[in-house]
Amino acid sequence: MAEFDTDILIAGGGLAGATLALALSRALPECRTTVVESFPLSPDALPDTYQPSYDARSTALAWASRNIYEALGLWPDLAPYATPIQRIHVSDRGRFGATRMSCDEQGVPALGYVVDNRWMGLSLMRALLGESAVQWRAPAEVVDVTPMTEGVSVVVSEGGEQTSMTAQCLVVADGGRSGLREKLGFNPDHTHYDQHALIANVSTANPHEFRAYERFTDTGPMALLPRGNPQRAGHESALVWTLSGDDLEEVLAASDEEKCRRLQARFGWRLGRFNRIGECSHYPLTLTTVAESVRPGIVLVGNAAHTLHPVAGQGFNLALRGLMTLVDQLRIASDKGIPLGRLDVLQAYQLTHREDWQQTVRLSDSLIQIFGAESSLLGAARDAGLVGLDLMPGARRWFARRAMGLAAKRTAPLKSVEPEGTGT
Ligand SMILES: Cc1cc2nc3c(=O)[nH]c(=O)nc-3n(C[C@H](O)[C@H](O)[C@H](O)COP(=O)(O)OP(=O)(O)OC[C@H]3O[C@@H](n4cnc5c(N)ncnc54)[C@H](O)[C@@H]3O)c2cc1C
C-alpha cells in the first residue's frame, strides 16, 4: 500500500466532521485522522467555562443519536445541557386532526433531546483533546483536491501558506454550501421549497413540560422544541417557523411584540402567551441531495451529502447514523487490510446507508408537501392521517420509531469487499 501523510482527511470540523473524528478515534485507534476546519477553534484553545445564551442555536437529537453519543463516551458530557423531549404533539392548525407521542409509550426516558450546537461543539472538542491520533488544523481550509491512483492529494491553506497532503480517503464534511462537492463535480439535486425558516428562541407564559410541538399551518409547518434546564420544565422553546419570502420580510421588520402577536396567531395558546422572542435568523429552505456520495478515495457526509428541511429535525440525526455506518465499513476494511479509500469500501457504506437516507428524505419532504398544501381534500386526508395515527398505537409506534431514529439498519456485511479485490 502507498505511504500517506494521513489515513483519513476530514474537510470541515463542524458537528459532522468533529463527530466522525471522535468515532474514528474510538473504533480505529490506529487510524491517523486529520481534520481541516476553517473556523478558528481547536481542541487545545477551548474556553474554560460554558455560559448558555438565550439566543443559542440548538439541535434536536433523536433517541438513537443520544445512544450514538453514549457509545462514543460523550453523552455524560452533553447531558447537563440536554433538554429531554418527553412528548411530541403533532397538529394541523385550524383542523381537528392531532396526534401525540410519548416517551412512556415507547419505553424510553425521552424521545430525544434539545442540545445547544455550541455546547455540542465544545464537548466534541474536549473529547478530541486527548486523542493523539487526531490532528486538528484550524483555521485552515481545503482549497483543492486531486484524486490519485490510490487515495487523494489535497491542498490545505493555513496561515497564508499552502501545503499538500495525501490521504487514503477524503471525507467532505464542509456543510450545505459545500464548495468542495461542487468543485469535485458531484451533482447535487436541489428542491427549492419557496419558503424560509425563521429561527429564534421564545419564552411562553406556560412551561413547556418537556413537550415538543410540530404544528402544520396553512403557510407552512412550525416547530417548538423545549430548551433550558433538563431537570425542571422551564418557559423557553426553540422555534422553527416556516414563512414565505414576503411574510418573512414583514416579520423581520416587525417589533418583538408584533412578532410575538403573529406567532401567537399562528401557533395558538397551548403554551400560553408568547412574551419574549430572541434574536431571529433565517434560511431559505432547500432540499439538497446527491444520488452518488462516493468516488474512489472520496466520500461526502453531513450537510454536504444531504440538507433537509429543519422542521422535522432530522438532518443531523440522519448524518450521525451515516457517520456510524461509514465508521463500521472503514473498520471492517481496516481489519481486512483493505485500503480505506477503496471504492467498494465506500460503496458498501453508501449501499447500507441508502435506505435510511432515502426514507428520511422522503418523510421530511412529504411532511412539507402534504402538510404545506392548502387543499381541503389534503386537509381532510391530513386530519384522517393524524387521527388515525392517534388512534392506532401500532402506526404511532412506527412513526415514533422513525422520529427517534430507530428504524434504520446499520451495517450490512461487506460481502463485495475482499482483500484481493480491485475496487478502485
Ligand atoms: C435552522 C436549522 C435547524 C436545524 N435543526 C436540526 C435539528 O433539530 N435536528 C437535526 O438533526 N438537524 C437539524 N438541522 C440540521 C443540522 O444543523 C445540520 O445537519 C448540521 O449542522 C450539519 O453539520 P455539518 O457538520 O454537516 O455542516 P456544518 O455545521 O455546516 O459544518 C461544516 C464545517 O465545515 C467548515 N468548512 C467549510 N468549508 C471548508 C473547507 N473548504 N475547508 C475546511 N473547512 C471548511 C465550516 O467552517 C464548518 O465548520 C438544522 C438545520 C438548520 C438550518
Side-chain angles (χ1 to χ4, degrees):
M1 204 192 295
E3 283 291 313
F4 296 95
D5 297 322
T6 190
D7 296 315
I8 304 282
L9 191 142
I10 304 175
L15 291 180
T19 301
L20 177 63
L22 183 65
L24 286 169
S25 73
R26 300 287 194 256
L28 285 101
E30 72 293 347
C31 171
R32 296 164 305 152
T33 301
T34 302
V35 184
V36 178
E37 165 55 43
S38 41
F39 192 75
L41 182 67
S42 80
D44 40 18
L46 295 175
D48 294 336
T49 55
Y50 175 69
Q51 189 58 44
S53 109
Y54 186 81
D55 287 317
R57 295 293 168 251
S58 50
T59 296
L61 288 180
W63 175 253
S65 301
R66 174 236 176 261
N67 291 347
I68 289 172
Y69 280 123
E70 173 87 56
L72 295 178
L74 197 69
W75 187 250
D77 204 36
L78 290 177
Y81 294 104
T83 313
I85 301 172
Q86 294 173 347
R87 284 172 286 274
I88 303 179
H89 183 271
V90 186
S91 61
D92 198 353
R93 182 181 167 273
R95 307 192 70 93
F96 62 86
T99 192
R100 296 153 190 85
M101 287 168 243
S102 80
C103 58
D104 294 341
E105 189 178 58
Q106 304 305 322
V108 288
L111 296 166
Y113 294 84
V114 180
V115 190
D116 286 357
N117 293 349
R118 201 166 84 81
W119 177 243
M120 265 203 282
L122 288 175
S123 299
L124 281 161
M125 294 278 158
R126 251 205 301 258
L128 286 171
L129 185 59
E131 299 297 340
S132 56
V134 179
Q135 193 201 7
W136 190 276
R137 295 178 64 174
E141 208 171 310
V142 172
V143 291
D144 206 4
V145 182
T146 310
M148 304 189 299
T149 320
E150 219 179 278
V152 291
S153 170
V154 301
V155 178
V156 178
S157 171
E158 192 172 16
E161 278 188 24
Q162 295 201 343
T163 49
S164 288
M165 210 176 176
T166 57
Q168 290 195 56
C169 182
L170 167 70
V171 180
V172 177
D174 61 344
R177 275 173 247 152
S178 172
L180 293 173
R181 177 185 63 202
E182 314 289 337
K183 195 173 257 179
L184 288 162
F186 284 91
N187 258 334
D189 191 27
H190 303 286
T191 306
H192 299 283
Y193 291 115
D194 224 10
Q195 285 177 320
H196 300 256
L198 181 143
I199 312 296
N201 293 328
V202 295
S203 299
T204 54
N206 298 343
H208 52 61
E209 304 293 1
F210 302 112
R211 187 179 280 114
Y213 292 88
E214 295 272 351
R215 199 133 168 69
F216 295 94
T217 79
D218 52 2
T219 54
M222 67 185 354
L224 274 166
L225 308 169
R227 66 185 303 265
N229 191 331
Q231 314 296 340
R232 192 166 37 82
H235 295 253
E236 280 173 35
S237 295
L239 166 73
V240 184
W241 185 3
T242 313
L243 293 156
S244 70
D246 289 348
D247 287 349
L248 175 74
E249 282 187 21
E250 275 184 29
V251 171
L252 289 175
S255 65
D256 285 359
E257 291 74 25
E258 176 61 12
K259 285 187 184 103
C260 286
R261 202 191 56 71
R262 285 175 179 242
L263 183 54
Q264 196 88 59
R266 283 283 112 209
F267 179 78
W269 291 87
R270 279 187 183 275
L271 280 167
R273 182 176 295 283
F274 285 92
N275 45 35
R276 180 177 174 190
I277 183 161
E279 195 177 276
C280 296
S281 50
H282 54 94
Y283 307 83
L285 292 183
T286 308
L287 167 68
T288 301
T289 54
V290 286
E292 296 296 322
S293 59
V294 302
R295 295 265 179 83
I298 301 170
V299 52
L300 309 183
V301 300
N303 270 18
H306 35 64
T307 307
L308 310 187
H309 191 303
V311 86
Q314 290 294 322
F316 184 61
N317 292 297
L318 173 65
L320 207 47
R321 299 196 294 274
L323 296 175
M324 295 309 113
T325 305
L326 177 61
V327 171
D328 283 346
Q329 298 297 352
L330 293 175
R331 188 177 37 75
I332 294 169
S334 168
D335 288 349
K336 292 183 176 181
I338 298 169
L340 301 182
R342 218 172 73 178
L343 184 59
D344 49 358
V345 173
L346 302 180
Q347 281 173 330
Y349 147 71
Q350 181 174 259
L351 191 67
T352 313
H353 185 47
R354 175 164 280 159
E355 190 181 316
D356 186 15
W357 80 251
Q358 284 179 336
Q359 281 188 1
T360 308
V361 165
R362 218 175 294 132
L363 187 71
S364 148
D365 184 47
S366 48
L367 282 179
I368 311 310
Q369 306 293 358
I370 299 172
F371 285 94
E374 276 184 77
S375 132
S376 56
L377 201 64
L378 277 177
R382 289 181 326 226
D383 284 346
L386 287 175
V387 171
L389 266 184
D390 206 44
L391 294 178
M392 288 188 292
R396 211 164 54 236
R397 205 167 302 124
W398 179 92
F399 197 80
R401 282 184 66 75
R402 265 156 187 78
M404 291 161 72
L406 293 174
K409 73 169 189 266
R410 188 158 143 195
T411 300
L414 243 181
K415 285 197 193 94
S416 59
V417 178
E418 296 302 333
E420 297 76 24
T422 51
T424 50

